[in-house]
Amino acid sequence: MSNLETREVEFSLGEEPGTIRGIAVPYNQPTNIGGQYREQFVPGAIRSVEDVKVFYGHQHDDLPIGKILEGRDTPDGYEIVAKLTTGVQRADETLALMRDGVLNKFSIGFMPIEQTREGDLVTRTLVEMRELSVVNWPAYSGAAITQVREEKTEAPAEALEDEPIKQESELDVSENTELDVRAIQDELVELRREIAVNVAPQTPAVPGMSFRSIGEYAKALATGDSNAVEFCRAATSANTYSLPGWVGFINNLINANRPSWNVWSQGALPASGLTVDYAKVSANTIAVGNQATENTAISDGEITIANTSTAVKTYAGKSTLSRQLVDRSSTPYLDTAFEAMAIAYGNTTNAAVVSAIAALNFTGKVMDMDGGTAKSVLEGIVDGAKYIKQNSGLNAEFILAGPALYKYLVT
């Protein structure tokens, strides 16, 4: 499970009284998302609309104003039918505004599950729809208004003819004014939310935020706490989102114990497979020279790129804690146990990097700096940096030294 995202589209009221019908997500329509990337949905991306509630303006602290009844794929996109609950003040107000055409759009909230990426285009192939909100501005221009439906009762003609014309009372004016002010407030709330989305994509809170430490989380998980279970699923997904501070503390504890690992650039593993493929320049005969005059030949050469792969390695360990120990021990006790495991993991992976570096064998690996003088040390470092520049075109970025060499360098 991943972070909740929202996308705004247009809607309309539906065929049954109090229902709305429209295209929740248009298909194959790339749309700019907050200036960060482009996004499109493909047919079949919406998994289900079971138990999906309707809100106003993503105000999840308020009561829902309805629920989705059904959803289906169409050539234009994923069409939904939702019903607003009669008698709920915000639902009645929303229907009134929709009848006048003031509101005609909604925003879906979804959890990304599967997607592909090509350049800046993210294609959503499977998402879990979590909520539907009535809003003001659409993200997808391809979302179309379809139907509006409301309950109407008409007074008999005779009654209309006999009924005297009533002047609007102060109470009527007050109620209308209150409704107008409420509508304006809602518009401003939605406007602020839209501005915030365009400035910086919002990252919703995750269930783990309610736990103050990894020990507290472990105790909750052992008892089947719903927030702990949901966070366990979210934390093992391939998607990124804001994590609670105690996760960052564990990560920092690991990183503090693997300095040899941290100096190297890192990237994400591929979604599947037991090997990592990458490109490597195996030969470079490019010759760059001065072009004497216009239209004369320029220097020529070739770059040979090899497709190299390496096996994925897994480092893991475990410690057995009894259910009784988890239930009856203090939270600091569990915190200490998990911190000890994090330190062990950091030390082991750091040692693996050191071993991998030591096992490398290539011309230029050894640079002479054992003369025992500051001059010989300086010459060795400069020669090493020169070798890196000449053979890769890149500048040396760091000096990685073990304890013994570090003492040698600083003295």
Side-chain angles (χ1 to χ4, degrees), residues 299-319:
S299 302
D300 192 14
E302 292 184 355
I303 295 178
T304 303
I305 298 179
N307 184 32
T308 308
S309 66
T310 186
V312 174
K313 295 183 178 181
T314 300
Y315 292 87
K318 69 175 182 178
S319 177

Side-chain angles (χ1 to χ4, degrees), residues 150-266:
E150 58 174 320
E151 292 191 58
K152 294 183 179 180
T153 57
E154 297 184 359
E158 298 82 4
L160 292 177
E161 293 174 358
D162 297 337
E163 184 178 358
I165 299 176
K166 296 181 179 179
Q167 296 295 325
E168 190 172 33
S169 67
E170 292 184 3
L171 179 59
D172 292 334
V173 173
S174 175
E175 289 178 348
N176 291 335
T177 303
E178 182 179 354
L179 180 58
D180 291 341
V181 171
R182 184 74 171 273
I184 294 172
Q185 289 174 337
D186 291 341
E187 296 267 353
L188 291 175
V189 168
E190 183 61 22
L191 178 59
R192 286 195 296 267
R193 192 189 71 82
E194 292 293 333
I195 292 174
V197 168
N198 289 328
V199 172
Q202 292 180 325
T203 304
V206 293
M209 293 294 184
S210 59
F211 306 111
R212 293 172 293 181
S213 70
I214 189 171
E216 186 175 304
Y217 161 66
K219 290 178 76 70
L221 186 62
T223 61
D225 179 86
S226 59
N227 281 339
V229 173
E230 186 174 353
F231 177 67
C232 181
R233 293 170 179 164
T236 55
S237 72
N239 297 284
T240 58
Y241 48 82
S242 231
L243 291 170
W246 55 266
V247 175
F249 172 76
I250 294 296
N251 288 337
N252 290 339
L253 197 60
I254 293 172
N255 289 329
N257 286 278
R258 54 182 189 186
S260 301
W261 175 297
N262 294 332
V263 295
W264 302 97
S265 59
Q266 301 168 30

